[in-house]
Amino acid sequence: ALTQSGASSILWLLSYIGVHLAAFLLVLWLAEKFYFSTYSELQENAAGKKKLSDNEFEKVFYVKSTMYRALMKREWRYFLRVPAFSFNGLANVVIFPILLIVFAAGAYNIPEFQALMTFIDQYKELVVPVGSLLAALAGSMSLLPASAFSREGRLLIELKTLPVNPAAVIKVKFVHSNLISGVGVFCSAIAVGFITKIGWLEVLWIIVTGYLLTIFLNNLQMIVDTAKPMLEWDNPIKAMKQNINGLLAIAIVFGFVFGLGYLGYITREYIPNQLMNPVLMLIGIAGSLITWKTLLTQAKKLFEKDL
């Protein structure tokens, strides 16, 4: 709105207000569906609830499920029922690609942006490795891995009493965190493709490479949280936003991404551009395999502690 004039500026301003109004209404609807309805159910008088027949009782309490499915269901329910977790976890991974697209759309006619696009065209062969790093950056910013056990709070004691192996719990949290992170990787790759006008094969390569790097970074974040989770909190926001593990995770992610980016820049004359992305893929795969064993060891130690 600030970069345009006349009717175009007014339309951009109205669009800005409209998007925020729509987002606000969407948040209200999700809050009603995932949070308030459950809260209301918990406040109902137990005596006023409908009595279950024998068949209904068996359906409720004797439904068979695998250990993995039961743990995954628990993880998703806890994530969706707590707005501080669900909205922060999702918003953190999509805000960066959204900002990229909004910036590109709004600044398309600005001379400085055209100069930037000319610069990008001169280094078109670096778009895929740089885009992969940006995708990894966006995907790793959900803070879900960095609060994997901190978000449990005192419920971690309940989790420890379940007859499950710590490795099973880690696998569930690993899959859940990486599914959310995958949204950020995908959106970032689409945003980079939209701005640089690269082909779909290059976008797909960014998604694959960015996702492998994200898995590695998420493992590092989970290792930090399993080492010393923040379990004493009276507000769920503290488990994510006011958690020292989240600050350490941000430092790790930014340090890794910008460190690799700078390393690639200073070695661009010695390493062929075509090899940069395969090297990033190898780093993601090797790093994920190495950190996975450490993560399992840390989780076992955590479950053996007295909380």
Side-chain angles (χ1 to χ4, degrees), residues 10-80:
I10 296 175
L11 288 175
W12 274 109
L13 179 60
L14 292 176
S15 299
Y16 177 81
I17 296 173
V19 167
H20 282 76
L21 180 61
F24 177 69
L25 294 175
L26 176 63
V27 168
L28 287 180
W29 180 79
L30 290 173
E32 166 68 24
K33 184 173 181 61
F34 290 115
Y35 179 70
F36 187 72
S37 59
T38 302
Y39 177 79
S40 299
E41 287 178 13
L42 295 175
Q43 301 304 312
E44 289 180 2
N45 191 332
K49 292 182 179 178
K50 177 185 174 183
K51 291 185 177 181
L52 298 176
S53 64
D54 291 341
N55 290 334
E56 290 174 330
F57 185 85
E58 290 182 2
K59 288 181 180 180
V60 172
F61 291 100
Y62 293 96
V63 176
K64 293 183 179 179
S65 178
T66 64
M67 178 180 63
Y68 177 83
R69 286 180 60 188
L71 289 173
M72 182 61 74
K73 198 172 184 180
R74 176 188 182 276
E75 192 73 19
W76 273 106
R77 280 186 171 178
Y78 192 36
F79 172 73
L80 293 174

Side-chain angles (χ1 to χ4, degrees), residues 54-181:
D54 291 341
N55 290 334
E56 290 174 330
F57 185 85
E58 290 182 2
K59 288 181 180 180
V60 172
F61 291 100
Y62 293 96
V63 176
K64 293 183 179 179
S65 178
T66 64
M67 178 180 63
Y68 177 83
R69 286 180 60 188
L71 289 173
M72 182 61 74
K73 198 172 184 180
R74 176 188 182 276
E75 192 73 19
W76 273 106
R77 280 186 171 178
Y78 192 36
F79 172 73
L80 293 174
R81 298 297 188 187
V82 183
F85 299 157
S86 54
F87 291 115
N88 280 291
L90 286 171
N92 288 347
V93 299
V94 298
I95 188 64
F96 179 66
I98 289 176
L99 288 176
L100 284 179
I101 294 177
V102 170
F103 168 76
Y108 191 79
N109 294 321
I110 298 177
E112 290 79 5
F113 182 75
Q114 295 298 327
L116 176 62
M117 294 305 299
T118 302
F119 177 78
I120 292 176
D121 289 336
Q122 293 176 354
Y123 295 93
K124 199 81 171 182
E125 66 277 2
L126 296 177
V127 168
V128 173
V130 172
S132 299
L133 289 174
L134 291 177
L137 176 64
S140 304
M141 293 304 295
S142 70
L143 294 183
L144 292 180
S147 60
F149 288 100
S150 293
R151 283 181 285 114
E152 294 284 345
R154 303 312 299 172
L155 289 179
L156 185 57
I157 298 176
E158 170 196 283
L159 192 59
K160 286 181 58 177
T161 61
L162 297 177
V164 296
N165 192 297
V169 177
I170 282 293
K171 288 177 183 177
V172 167
K173 290 185 176 294
F174 170 85
V175 172
H176 177 258
S177 297
N178 284 295
L179 283 175
I180 302 298
S181 294

Side-chain angles (χ1 to χ4, degrees), residues 217-266:
L217 291 172
N218 283 351
N219 281 358
L220 290 176
Q221 294 181 63
M222 290 182 70
I223 289 173
V224 170
D225 194 59
T226 51
K228 193 174 182 181
M230 177 184 178
L231 303 178
E232 297 291 342
W233 46 263
D234 54 3
N235 188 325
I237 293 179
K238 290 184 178 180
M240 295 186 72
K241 296 291 188 179
Q242 300 175 21
N243 189 347
I244 189 64
N245 293 340
L247 181 61
L248 291 174
I250 292 174
I252 290 172
V253 171
F254 274 88
F256 176 84
V257 170
F258 286 102
L260 274 184
Y262 179 73
L263 185 62
Y265 175 77
I266 62 177

Side-chain angles (χ1 to χ4, degrees), residues 128-129 131-133 135-136 178 182 184-190 200-216 277-278 280-285 288:
V128 173
S132 299
L133 289 174
N178 284 295
V185 173
F186 179 80
C187 293
S188 296
I190 297 299
W200 285 106
L201 286 178
E202 287 85 355
V203 172
L204 181 60
W205 202 0
I206 291 176
I207 292 174
V208 174
T209 307
Y211 197 57
L212 289 173
L213 292 173
T214 299
I215 292 174
F216 172 42
N277 231 51
L280 292 178
M281 293 178 69
L282 288 175
I283 291 174
I285 294 172
S288 299

